[in-house]
Amino acid sequence: MRIASYASVVTALLLITAKLIAWYSSDSISILASLIDSSLDLLASLVNLLAIRHALQPADKEHRFGHGKAEPLAALGQSMFIAGSAIMLLFQASGRLVNPQPLTSGIEFGGAVMVISMIATIGLLMLQRYVIAKTNSSAIRADSLHYKSDLLVNFSVIIALLLTQFGLLWFDPLMAGMIAMYVLFSAWKILRDAIDLLMDHEISEAERQQIIQLVFTHPQAKGLHDLRTRRSGTTVFIQLHLELDPELSLQEAHNVSDKVSREIRGLFDDAEIIIHQDPQNDKANAQSLI
């Protein structure tokens, strides 16, 4: 996660430098859109870098459940930055659409910068994809979403630059407006995922079903209820009531719970599990459905 966050910052710095020169030489509004997008990527990546460093700190006396919620907080901030930039870009694009302006002589250089940007972005996305698969980090996922949109942005800028050379000056601001709308939609997705994590949304139904099926594979497990889950950073928190034969001794019930807990933990890279033992058919203890 740390390596991915550092790589994101370095990539954003390189792209901003190149796109700033390309925009200055061409005066393309679509390149300006890409420059603004990359600038926000840098800001978001810096926020991610700080959030991930904080989220990876171990639990302490003041934060018994760890610091994992620093990640969705960072993602929440990112969504605000992204939405603001998209709205600003829409205003700029609409003004240029009403009064189209010819581009200057730096079109070829601008196109080359966009191609190089796409290559650098693809390399970063490959690294981020690997990290997300290993850690399920919400902050890295949000950062990856920025750079996925960058691929579309850079490609669309290349098309816009090509078409403006044929006199279609309106296509440059039109493409910038479309980019802004896409970025605004991306901000909504990041915001929604961040709120889910901050509000302790349940993990996916597929993962919950895996837990349920694993519990029932144990021969001494008679049932379960009150399964509750949430995710904080890279850690999944799982609580459930395990129904056991009432004739089992306390030690036997404890051993069964330990075994079930170890098997559930094998489903996740990082999980904290609490299992409460209930006697089978004790409906008074069943507070909710699975």
Side-chain angles (χ1 to χ4, degrees):
M1 288 172 62
R2 289 191 181 95
I3 291 174
S5 61
Y6 288 134
S8 180
V9 171
V10 172
T11 301
L13 281 171
L14 293 174
L15 295 182
I16 286 171
T17 303
K19 290 177 183 179
L20 182 62
I21 298 172
W23 171 62
Y24 182 77
S25 64
S26 68
D27 194 34
S28 167
I29 190 69
S30 59
I31 290 183
L32 175 60
S34 183
L35 172 60
I36 292 174
D37 187 46
S38 292
S39 299
L40 286 165
D41 284 344
L42 174 61
L43 181 59
S45 296
L46 289 171
V47 172
N48 268 356
L49 181 61
L50 296 175
I52 287 171
R53 290 184 63 182
H54 189 69
L56 291 177
Q57 293 180 9
D60 53 36
K61 287 185 177 180
E62 288 76 29
H63 305 89
R64 297 287 186 175
F65 292 96
H67 302 79
K69 287 195 176 181
E71 284 193 61
L73 281 172
L76 192 66
Q78 288 181 49
S79 67
M80 299 295 103
F81 293 135
I82 295 169
S85 69
I87 293 171
M88 180 180 66
L89 183 56
L90 277 173
F91 280 109
Q92 292 178 339
S94 61
R96 186 68 69 89
L97 191 61
V98 173
N99 298 302
Q101 299 178 20
L103 303 185
T104 57
S105 59
I107 295 177
E108 294 81 5
F109 177 70
V113 167
M114 292 301 104
V115 172
I116 295 172
S117 297
M118 291 180 70
I119 295 172
T121 302
I122 289 172
L124 177 62
L125 285 172
M126 291 175 65
L127 173 62
Q128 289 178 329
R129 183 178 180 181
Y130 172 80
V131 173
I132 292 169
K134 290 291 184 182
T135 66
N136 200 32
S137 167
S138 60
I140 298 296
R141 186 182 292 106
D143 209 33
S144 180
L145 185 57
H146 300 165
Y147 288 99
K148 285 178 183 177
S149 67
D150 267 2
L151 282 179
L152 179 61
V153 168
N154 295 334
F155 179 74
S156 63
V157 170
I158 292 173
I159 300 300
L161 293 176
L162 289 174
L163 291 178
T164 52
Q165 295 189 74
F166 294 97
L168 300 175
L169 300 181
W170 54 268
F171 197 83
D172 184 46
L174 177 63
M175 188 59 68
M178 293 175 64
I179 292 169
M181 293 298 294
Y182 180 81
V183 171
L184 196 60
F185 176 72
S186 299
W188 160 245
K189 291 179 66 177
I190 295 171
L191 175 65
R192 182 187 61 193
D193 291 344
I195 290 175
D196 281 347
L197 287 171
L198 290 170
M199 295 298 292
D200 292 333
H201 192 278
E202 288 281 342
I203 62 176
S204 71
E205 186 59 29
E207 291 173 315
R208 283 173 54 85
Q209 289 302 320
Q210 280 186 300
I211 295 172
I212 294 170
Q213 291 172 10
L214 190 148
V215 170
F216 281 110
T217 59
H218 196 285
Q220 290 180 287
K222 306 301 182 182
L224 79 150
H225 56 269
D226 293 333
L227 172 60
R228 301 175 184 177
T229 63
R230 66 183 179 93
R231 195 182 300 273
S232 179
T234 60
T235 305
V236 178
F237 292 87
I238 302 167
Q239 299 179 19
L240 63 89
H241 287 228
L242 179 63
E243 298 175 17
L244 299 170
D245 188 334
E247 301 300 322
L248 289 178
S249 68
L250 178 60
Q251 184 63 56
E252 290 172 326
H254 175 76
N255 292 341
V256 172
S257 295
D258 272 357
K259 184 174 181 180
V260 171
S261 180
R262 285 194 301 270
E263 292 176 354
I264 294 175
R265 192 170 286 109
L267 298 174
F268 305 95
D269 292 326
D270 185 13
E272 290 196 14
I273 303 167
I274 297 177
I275 296 179
H276 176 80
Q277 301 95 27
D278 277 341
Q280 184 185 16
N281 297 324
D282 186 359
K283 300 303 180 183
N285 287 324
Q287 300 175 10
S288 66
L289 299 175
I290 292 175

